[in-house]
């Protein structure tokens, strides 16, 4: 079988617990449920639905995303563990076939009997979560009509917004975005919400997306647009990656003309050296798993910890406070903010579990 030859090396290099793998014969999709860590609670993370060049690219994504979830729950101190699912789908599945695939995926999640909790991610919506709930209760982010928290994108966007203000304070000396230029890469569900918040705060927004149709919709609201590949050369104060991961590598970092990188994308850094590359260019980087934790906080907070909307908003504001302390620590310990955030996550992971909320 083509496209599976990296399975062994990928798993050998991974620090997680286990992976549930399923080949979905009716569609040809591969399903990977990566359980990275159950140390702080039930492994919980979204379900990504995407077309990959090869199935092992989907596995690689799942492994990295699940590890990031472990760090994310640890830095925000929520009683959950790291896990993530990837459905590596064939291109152009028809609606009925996609629904069938999701229902079968829901059965697998259900068979795990609560050892993995999921919700929406790139390529899935709360409508999909409603579908999954026909097969399993271990799903968050389903519609309000069915008793869920609904779309998590507004919460993720609000967390990014508070995080950006902390970045602005550190980089420009004032915790406000008015008059700052922000380039938003990706106008998916989080990108569009973020653009609205930025406009309201009187920031100057420039957007891009590979999807022309989506981009045209954003342009129609008065936002300036740039070509997807020109985005790295665009002079701005803040570059906000809000699309797929792996976009920042040696080549693109060399082109950046911004002072801050802060966005919603998971794993925007292509490799382990890229945080240092950003720092060497004098660019402040908000670690992704800190600044993009808003959706995770909102879904689990509202659906499983009975937090009110106000309490969730307080926690989203806390993303800004956490980033401030990460930037201070990075400075004090002469390390990158990424490394400071990793140290904070590792410390929280090592704490004894007694006496924690939840
Ligand atoms: C993420 O932050 O990347 C998530 O996957 C968050 C999340 C948490 C709980 C359910 C679904 C998604």
């Amino acid at each position: 079988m083509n496209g599976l030859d990296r399975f062994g090396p990928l798993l050998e290099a991974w620090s997680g617990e286990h992976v549930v793998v399923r080949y979905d014969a009716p569609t040809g999709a591969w399903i990977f449920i990566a359980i990275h860590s159950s140390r702080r609670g039930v492994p919980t993370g979204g379900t990504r639905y995407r077309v990959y060049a090869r199935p092992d690219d989907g596995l690689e994504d799942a492994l990295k995303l699940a590890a990031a979830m472990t760090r994310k729950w640890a830095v925000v101190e929520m009683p959950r563990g790291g896990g993530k699912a990837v459905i590596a789908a064939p291109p152009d599945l028809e609606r009925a076939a996609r629904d069938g695939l999701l229902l079968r995926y829901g059965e697998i999640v259900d068979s795990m009997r609560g050892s993995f909790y999921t919700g929406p991610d790139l390529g899935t919506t709360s409508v999909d979560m409603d579908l999954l709930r026909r097969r399993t209760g271990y799903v968050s982010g389903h519609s309000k009509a069915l008793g869920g928290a609904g779309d998590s994108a507004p919460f993720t966007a609000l967390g990014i917004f508070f995080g950006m203000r902390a970045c602005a304070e550190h980089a420009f000396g004032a915790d406000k975005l008015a008059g700052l230029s922000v380039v938003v890469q990706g106008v998916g569900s989080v990108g569009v919400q973020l653009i609205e918040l930025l406009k309201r705060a009187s920031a100057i927004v420039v957007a891009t997306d590979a999807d022309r149709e989506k981009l045209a919709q954003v342009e129609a609201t008065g936002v300036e647009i740039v070509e997807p590949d020109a985005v790295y050369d665009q002079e701005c104060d803040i570059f906000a990656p809000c699309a797929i991961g792996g976009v920042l590598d040696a080549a693109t970092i060399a082109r950046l003309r911004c002072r801050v990188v802060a966005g919603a994308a998971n794993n925007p850094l292509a490799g382990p050296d890229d945080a240092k590359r950003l720092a060497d260019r004098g660019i402040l980087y908000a670690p992704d798993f800190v600044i993009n934790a808003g959706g995770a906080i909102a879904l689990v907070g509202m659906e499983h910890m009975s937090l009110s909307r106000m309490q969730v908003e307080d926690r989203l504001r806390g993303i800004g406070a956490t980033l401030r302390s990460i930037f201070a620590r990075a400075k004090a310990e002469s390390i990158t903010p990424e490394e400071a955030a990793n140290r904070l996550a590792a410390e929280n992971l090592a704490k004894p579990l007694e006496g924690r909320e939840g």
Side-chain angles (χ1 to χ4, degrees), residues 24 26-27 49 89-104 123 125-132 134:
D24 183 67
T27 58
Y49 184 101
D92 305 323
L93 264 198
E94 279 176 20
R95 171 75 195 271
R98 184 180 183 278
D99 285 358
L101 167 59
L102 284 173
L103 288 170
R104 289 187 292 280
T125 63
S126 62
V127 175
D128 296 326
M129 298 307 115
D130 287 356
L131 192 65
L132 291 184
R134 292 205 215 149

Side-chain angles (χ1 to χ4, degrees), residues 173-329:
D175 140 15
K176 51 179 196 295
L177 300 172
L180 295 185
S181 54
V182 184
V183 170
V184 178
Q185 179 190 43
V187 294
S189 53
V190 177
V192 290
Q193 300 275 347
L194 178 63
I195 288 173
E196 279 316 303
L197 293 170
L198 291 170
K199 285 203 288 192
R200 252 183 272 160
S202 305
I204 303 152
V205 185
V206 178
T208 196
D209 200 297
D211 183 330
R212 299 264 152 202
E213 219 169 285
K214 277 198 219 154
L215 198 56
Q217 282 168 15
V218 171
E219 189 177 20
T221 70
V223 172
E224 190 189 330
I225 60 164
V226 285
E227 286 297 310
D229 189 53
V231 77
Y232 305 108
D233 308 310
Q234 183 76 25
E235 190 166 354
C236 61
D237 294 307
I238 302 176
F239 175 64
C242 296
I244 51 166
V247 293
L248 294 175
D249 57 19
T252 53
I253 290 171
R255 288 163 61 188
L256 289 178
R257 297 168 72 199
C258 61
R259 287 284 309 282
V260 173
V261 170
N266 279 309
N267 304 331
L269 304 182
D273 301 328
D274 295 313
K276 180 79 169 48
R277 286 196 176 101
L278 285 168
D280 288 347
R281 288 216 48 216
I283 297 171
L284 181 70
Y285 174 64
D288 58 327
F289 60 91
V290 182
I291 195 168
N292 75 15
I297 290 172
L299 289 188
V300 167
M302 291 199 286
E303 292 182 15
H304 301 284
M305 292 164 68
S306 319
L307 299 187
S308 67
R309 237 196 118 88
M310 290 267 284
Q311 286 170 316
V312 167
E313 281 202 25
D314 279 346
R315 282 193 170 238
L316 298 186
R317 215 167 269 115
I319 289 175
T322 304
L323 279 174
R324 284 186 193 95
S325 70
I326 284 168
F327 295 147
R329 179 171 187 169

Side-chain angles (χ1 to χ4, degrees), residues 44-47 69 72-73 83-84 117-121 140 266 292-293 295-296 299-300:
T44 303
T47 296
M69 283 312 297
K72 190 176 303 188
W73 293 123
K84 198 95 170 192
Y117 247 96
T118 196
D121 193 71
S140 299
N266 279 309
N292 75 15
L299 289 188
V300 167

Side-chain angles (χ1 to χ4, degrees), residues 18 23 26 41 56 76 147 154 159 165 178 210 237 272 293 316-317 324 333-334:
H18 61 270
Y23 175 67
D56 48 16
V76 301
R165 284 179 37 183
D237 294 307
L316 298 186
R317 215 167 269 115
R324 284 186 193 95
E333 297 178 19
S334 302

